[in-house]
Amino acid sequence: MIVDQNTKIYGVVGYPLGHSLSPTMHNSAFEASDLNAVYLAFETKDLAGGMQGVRGLGVSGMSVTIPYKSAVIPYLDQVDDLARMIGAVNTIVNDAGQLIGYNTDAAGALKALEDKAQLSGKACILVGAGGAARAIGYILKQKAVTLKVANRSRERGEELADFLNCQYIALDDLEAVTADIVIQATSVGMSPDKDACVIPEHILKQGMLVMDVIYNPIETKLLKMAKDRGCLTISGLSMFIQQGAEQFRLWTGMDPPFSTMAQAVKQLLMKSDQT
Ligand code: NAP
């Protein structure tokens, strides 16, 4: 790869970034598409300074991650309708100096789900009430999915249920729930706490569609249990790669090299699992 005066700069802003998979995923995509572009990790506690840098230095595009997906909105010139409704931006396009915000988490989750099943008319229990749950709940609502929201903190759970115009249930009441689709959208089960799971095993029934937003490990405890009980499963990795593919499309206007991106991320996750 040659870096010169024409190289376009992209990156991810967040704090902490930990072992972000985005640089590996997007650099593999740029290389496979023969683009003179590079993607970097910008870990900062100074969002205002970071956004001034994006503007002042003409950074071509950014991913935005925890904890800045909502906080970044005031620094943008435009926010597309979906991101505005969800209240979170995970992608910025620098269009000739205008910073435009998008949310590709919602589209990524939808693509991952629609690749496995037809959604309209299905009953879904959405576990979690953070940014990921909000994006997924909002897009599923547009697809005529009947939702229930379960969350640890009642206040946040009820707030999301109000937003989605659906019922809130406490995590303890999951025991009695039946659904066609179960979506795990909390941070529980993420490495190194791989044995944690907020969803009771016995509610998982043959033929159910079960998605976990966690992508490290690729197969979470929930997905292992769901497979064993005859459910159809979707890893958070599918959602992650789909949201990244949508970012690539927004930044470049080109079709993303999907299998290259998936391969690069899987290799990185397998390597980090061995260390
Ligand atoms: P967030 O806004 O911080 O929300 C965290 C959620 O997890 C809340 O519902 C929180 O419940 C719940 N939670 C945390 N610890 C818990 C515990 N010990 N027991 C029960 N519930 C607990 O985070 P987020 O942005 O929604 O992200 C959630 C996860 O999704 C993260 O792991 C993130 O990496 C992942 N994610 C994946 C993708 C992807 O592409 N696959 C995209 C976005 C996010 P309370 O409200 O009670 O605190």
Side-chain angles (χ1 to χ4, degrees):
M1 182 192 145
I2 295 166
V3 174
D4 59 19
Q5 74 277 19
N6 297 317
T7 303
K8 289 190 169 176
I9 297 173
Y10 296 83
V12 54
V13 62
Y15 189 89
L17 282 180
H19 302 288
S20 172
L21 303 176
S22 295
T24 298
M25 176 169 68
H26 284 299
N27 284 317
S28 77
F30 291 151
E31 196 179 339
S33 308
D34 218 7
L35 291 171
N36 186 356
V38 66
Y39 185 105
L40 304 168
F42 297 111
E43 183 177 89
T44 181
K45 285 184 178 172
D46 178 8
L47 178 63
M51 290 309 296
Q52 222 175 342
V54 168
R55 232 178 243 287
L57 300 176
V59 173
S60 299
M62 293 291 291
S63 307
V64 183
T65 190
I66 292 172
Y68 298 137
K69 288 185 184 183
S70 300
V72 78
I73 290 176
Y75 298 98
L76 305 176
D77 300 303
Q78 283 176 55
V79 176
D80 98 317
D81 289 346
L82 177 65
R84 187 169 295 287
M85 282 310 297
I86 294 168
V89 161
N90 79 328
T91 309
I92 301 170
V93 174
N94 187 342
D95 183 5
Q98 290 285 298
L99 300 187
I100 309 171
Y102 297 89
N103 185 304
T104 69
D105 284 335
L110 185 64
K111 186 80 179 52
L113 283 158
E114 281 185 329
D115 276 354
K116 292 268 179 152
Q118 188 274 115
L119 302 176
S120 170
K122 298 276 167 63
C124 171
I125 176 82
L126 176 61
V127 184
R134 199 174 172 87
I136 295 169
Y138 183 78
I139 203 83
L140 289 185
K141 191 87 191 165
Q142 315 307 308
K143 294 285 163 180
V145 172
T146 307
L147 290 163
K148 281 185 185 158
V149 170
N151 193 50
R152 176 180 62 176
S153 85
R154 186 179 188 96
E155 195 186 347
R156 214 166 168 201
E158 283 183 341
E159 195 272 323
L160 180 60
D162 278 355
F163 173 69
L164 298 172
N165 196 18
C166 72
Q167 189 189 345
Y168 162 77
I169 59 171
L171 280 188
D172 285 348
D173 296 337
L174 274 178
E175 301 278 345
V177 155
T178 56
D180 305 305
I181 305 170
V182 174
I183 300 178
Q184 195 306 110
T186 77
S187 43
V188 178
M190 190 163 58
S191 185
D193 294 320
K194 295 180 194 171
D195 290 330
C197 179
V198 286
I199 295 175
E201 184 168 5
H202 70 264
I203 73 162
L204 304 171
K205 302 268 162 31
Q206 176 138 19
M208 240 180 200
L209 182 61
V210 178
M211 177 163 119
D212 202 330
V213 297
I214 301 294
Y215 48 78
N216 186 11
I218 300 175
E219 188 172 72
T220 58
K221 181 174 179 195
L222 170 67
L223 294 185
K224 263 188 220 135
M225 292 189 317
K227 251 186 204 164
D228 289 348
R229 294 176 70 89
C231 307
L232 211 55
T233 59
I234 305 175
S235 157
L237 193 60
S238 306
M239 172 180 165
F240 179 76
I241 295 162
Q242 293 289 359
Q243 66 77 31
E246 201 46 43
Q247 294 184 317
F248 181 91
R249 209 187 293 280
L250 285 167
W251 290 330
T252 66
M254 294 166 67
D255 283 339
F258 191 82
S259 49
T260 301
M261 296 166 83
Q263 188 66 18
V265 171
K266 274 185 199 155
Q267 267 174 9
L268 185 66
L269 279 173
M270 285 188 301
K271 225 194 290 172
S272 71
D273 219 24
Q274 287 160 8
T275 53

